[in-house]
Amino acid sequence: MSLHDNRVVRMARRLRKDGRIGVAPYVTAGDGGLTRTRRVLERLEEAGAACCELGVPFSDPIADGPVLQRAAERSLAAGTDVAGVLDTVASFRADGGTLPVLLFTYLNPVVGSGLLMRLGALADAGVDGLLIPDLPVEEAEPVARAAADAGLALPLFAAPTTEPERLTRTAASATGFLYVVGRVGVTGARTEIDGAQATEVDRVRAAAGDLPIGVGFGISDRAQVAALDGRAELAISGTAFVRAIHGDGDPDDEAAASRAARLVHDLRGPAAVSASPTLREQPLER
């Protein structure tokens, strides 16, 4: 599949064209079991999520706050691995799932495990992109080339401290969208979309040109999503979804998936939009 046909690229471009914002949940794969993860993907699509970041659990998640760290620990303890995550995505696709899915992982597993040489397997399973928060733009070229060859989008990250020249370079190297980190630090703490934050997003918007942007780290309620409407194409929410899915250890997979779906509805409100129905009407060429 070429990047032209890539679900993430098409979703983000459509949101950009329509001038609307979509909700992008982060889900730790295997937290509560991969059967739960599969059901969560189904319910997220039904609820109108624009895409899903599917986190591959890692023992040293440097960008993750305590909630996501504990989710990764639970998932690893349950035996989750990349093969199981890909089987879950493939099963979701086999049953007609069209929700764009990006794997969220770190550079060490990508390079150290040889995954960089097997990115075609991700695309074959139905994965649409990679998010690697510790991949600096200065080292992104070989990963970007391998991802493009496999038909995978590779959004890159920009932070509030990113200097203008580096921001321009990052936007030029990213595919799908540019991930704007809402603040310095790890995930979990609330990000207020105040005047200073809005100015930062607007600065990134100007540097990104026509490239869609997503804002993450600390997005957890409708007011924050509304504040980003017209400034960004994606409001990315992680900790709130991980908490909802875990539900204090609730063993009921359907209840967990329902909580995730309800959170999508709460965050979307009347202003946000899902790209999934359009993708379903116009199937991808495989």
Side-chain angles (χ1 to χ4, degrees):
M1 181 175 68
S2 71
L3 280 174
H4 176 75
D5 293 324
N6 182 279
R7 294 181 188 88
V8 168
V9 171
R10 291 174 58 188
M11 170 274 298
R13 285 177 178 170
R14 180 163 295 278
L15 290 172
R16 176 80 172 135
K17 178 181 177 181
D18 293 346
R20 306 224 185 152
I21 189 164
V23 171
Y26 169 92
V27 175
T28 301
D31 185 17
L34 288 171
T35 298
R36 173 173 298 197
T37 301
R38 161 66 190 276
R39 185 57 181 143
V40 167
L41 289 174
E42 294 171 346
R43 294 301 306 277
L44 291 178
E45 179 165 350
E46 292 167 5
C51 64
C52 178
E53 297 181 8
L54 197 55
V56 178
F58 180 49
S59 58
D60 187 24
I62 58 174
D64 293 348
V67 173
L68 270 60
Q69 288 182 15
R70 288 193 292 270
E73 290 167 1
R74 291 191 297 265
S75 180
L76 288 170
T80 304
D81 57 15
V82 173
V85 175
L86 295 187
D87 285 345
T88 300
V89 176
S91 175
F92 172 66
R93 296 290 183 223
D95 282 348
T98 64
L99 180 70
V101 174
L102 301 103
L103 286 195
F104 187 107
T105 185
Y106 287 87
L107 190 57
N108 185 289
V110 171
V111 176
S113 69
L115 185 61
L116 184 60
M117 306 303 294
R118 298 183 284 111
L119 294 187
L122 275 63
D124 290 344
V127 171
D128 304 296
L130 278 174
L131 284 166
I132 307 174
D134 57 342
L135 175 64
V137 66
E138 293 81 7
E139 300 176 17
E141 196 276 333
V143 181
R145 184 173 60 250
D149 288 346
L152 298 174
L154 185 71
L156 296 178
F157 288 72
T161 54
T162 303
E163 297 180 353
E165 182 178 348
R166 192 164 189 261
L167 178 59
T168 300
R169 181 179 178 184
T170 302
S173 301
T175 53
F177 61 91
L178 184 63
Y179 191 125
V180 184
V181 177
R183 53 177 170 68
V184 176
V186 297
T187 62
R190 179 180 172 85
T191 297
E192 297 294 344
I193 312 300
D194 55 15
Q197 179 60 32
T199 298
E200 171 60 22
V201 174
D202 291 344
R203 179 178 78 92
V204 175
R205 166 85 285 153
D210 290 333
L211 181 70
I213 65 174
V215 178
F217 281 47
I219 304 299
S220 59
D221 64 38
R222 186 180 298 184
Q224 293 168 302
V225 177
L228 292 170
D229 192 18
R231 287 191 158 92
E233 283 66 52
L234 291 169
I236 303 165
S237 178
T239 298
F241 277 93
V242 169
R243 282 193 175 117
I245 291 166
H246 180 56
D248 295 323
D250 181 358
D252 188 328
D253 293 344
E254 186 59 39
S258 295
R259 289 192 296 271
R262 186 161 55 250
L263 183 54
V264 173
H265 286 297
D266 289 345
L267 293 178
R268 288 182 71 206
V273 67
S274 165
S276 297
T278 300
L279 290 178
R280 194 176 292 113
E281 292 163 8
Q282 301 176 13
L284 295 173
E285 296 178 6
R286 301 290 299 177

